[in-house]
């Protein structure tokens, strides 16, 4: 998903010459950070599986960040498609 955000940033940079400046690339970068937080929390939850309380909390954080990232990416795509951003 970080790669999808990175691809979106690259495409926006190419298109900005035609359509003018936009904030889509900045929003996609912030969304990539959400996916990074999700994957880091997921990795740490697997590494610290012996500590169940911490592991479960990290799994919840990973799930929340991932779903929030998906929602943000979908919203960014819709706004970009309708040229609202």
């Amino acid at each position: 998903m970080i790669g999808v955000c990175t691809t979106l940033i690259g495409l926006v940079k190419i298109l900005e010459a035609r359509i003018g400046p936009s904030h889509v690339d900045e929003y996609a970068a912030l969304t990539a950070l959400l996916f990074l937080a999700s994957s880091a929390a997921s990795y740490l939850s697997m590494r610290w599986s012996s500590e169940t309380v911490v592991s479960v909390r990290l799994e919840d954080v990973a799930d929340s960040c991932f779903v929030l990232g998906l929602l943000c990416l979908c919203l960014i795509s819709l706004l970009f498609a309708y040229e609202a951003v």
Side-chain angles (χ1 to χ4, degrees), residues 51-64:
E51 299 182 34
T52 56
V53 174
V54 175
S55 180
V56 168
R57 180 69 181 134
L58 285 170
E59 286 176 15
D60 291 341
V61 169
D63 289 341
S64 298

Side-chain angles (χ1 to χ4, degrees), residues 2 14 22 27 34 40 44 63-65 70 74 77 79 83 85:
I2 294 172
I14 292 171
S22 69
Y27 299 144
L34 277 173
L44 289 174
D63 289 341
S64 298
C65 286
L70 287 177
C74 184
S77 299
L79 291 174
E83 298 174 3
V85 180

